Amino acid sequence: MKEIALPTQAKLTSALVPDLSLSYGQVVWVLEEAGFSAGAPDITFQHYIKSLRKIGLPFRRGEPGLDHGRLAHYSFDPLMDLAVALHLRVYGTLPDPVAEGLITARTTLHGFYRRAYLEHATGLGARIEVTAQGRAGFAMSGVWLDLRLRYAGGRCLGFGPPRILSPFEALRVFATAEEAARTHPPFNLSELAVRLVEASLRCPGMRGVHPARRAVGRSGPAAAPSRP
């Protein structure tokens, strides 16, 4: 497994998954670094993240992360919840059945996230080689997430139950998907988990202020803190 050095604000759990504690501003920074803003203005991207929290993604008030005061604190699992939701947007929004499915399956998904991180190059996520006669081969690795999403006529027809797959199983699901309904293909959950952790470890140690708003060399008062 690839070793990732942890900063002082993070520690290892007994399961060897980084125990992150990110502020709202840090989470926005991490998600933008991971490419989820897709070039949208900063204020637009933050508004969408806040709209997800209003429907219970990644947590509701009183749940871990929002159980003390007004400021949210994001660990590894809620960060992954947000990233998966953003990955599943259709035309810039998350369909209601998908949001409801992610909330209902949250406990199961959190176990998947951790296994995907820990086994991104071993176990279920071990590398495979795909070859064909007369063609250049390629490799696949990581734990893949199949939410069993089915779309037809511009609407979601079904969600779940979610499952995780090996690279070979993910390739087989993609190759044998039904043609009657466009099924959202499995995606590499391990790659997503590792990318988010690495971005989290590069994140400036800021709380409540979006790092992008503190320009180097800018005169005048500091930007006002952004609130979740």
Side-chain angles (χ1 to χ4, degrees):
M1 176 178 174
K2 178 181 177 182
E3 294 184 0
I4 299 177
L6 296 174
T8 55
Q9 67 265 30
K11 58 185 177 181
L12 291 177
T13 67
S14 60
L16 300 180
V17 175
D19 188 8
L20 304 172
S21 180
L22 303 173
S23 69
Y24 166 75
Q26 288 173 317
V27 163
V28 173
W29 189 93
V30 168
L31 292 172
E32 288 186 338
E33 281 290 293
F36 284 105
S37 65
D42 183 65
I43 190 170
T44 300
F45 186 55
Q46 290 200 42
H47 176 76
Y48 189 71
I49 293 176
K50 293 175 184 177
S51 70
L52 288 176
R53 205 167 82 188
K54 289 180 180 178
I55 63 173
L57 284 169
F59 35 55
R60 295 184 176 93
R61 187 164 298 280
E63 295 178 340
L66 261 184
D67 51 355
H68 298 293
R70 294 185 58 218
L71 295 179
H73 300 280
Y74 297 77
S75 61
F76 172 79
D77 292 327
L79 177 64
M80 288 291 295
D81 282 334
L82 275 178
V84 169
L86 292 170
H87 177 80
L88 297 174
R89 286 178 295 179
V90 177
Y91 303 118
T93 61
L94 186 68
D96 290 342
V98 178
E100 293 166 5
L102 292 176
I103 293 170
T104 301
R106 182 179 290 156
T107 300
T108 297
L109 290 171
H110 287 183
F112 290 170
Y113 300 158
R114 292 172 176 268
R115 187 170 180 187
Y117 179 78
L118 294 172
E119 297 186 24
H120 69 265
T122 61
L124 188 64
R127 174 188 173 106
I128 65 168
E129 300 284 342
V130 182
T131 61
Q133 186 174 3
R135 305 255 181 192
F138 62 93
M140 294 176 62
S141 62
V143 174
W144 293 66
L145 178 62
D146 181 12
L147 293 171
R148 298 179 179 178
L149 285 171
R150 296 171 296 282
Y151 291 94
R155 61 191 184 93
C156 181
L157 300 179
F159 178 100
R163 59 182 175 175
I164 47 176
L165 308 171
S166 69
F168 178 80
E169 291 168 334
L171 186 60
R172 180 172 58 187
V173 168
F174 177 79
T176 60
E178 298 178 10
E179 295 184 1
R182 182 179 66 83
T183 302
H184 192 288
F187 63 92
N188 195 329
L189 189 63
S190 291
E191 187 278 333
L192 176 60
V194 171
R195 179 157 46 106
L196 288 175
V197 169
E198 291 181 334
S200 296
L201 304 185
R202 296 195 309 269
C203 182
M206 303 177 68
R207 301 197 67 82
V209 179
H210 193 314
R213 296 188 177 191
R214 187 171 289 182
V216 177
R218 184 179 62 182
S219 60
S226 59
R227 295 188 178 275

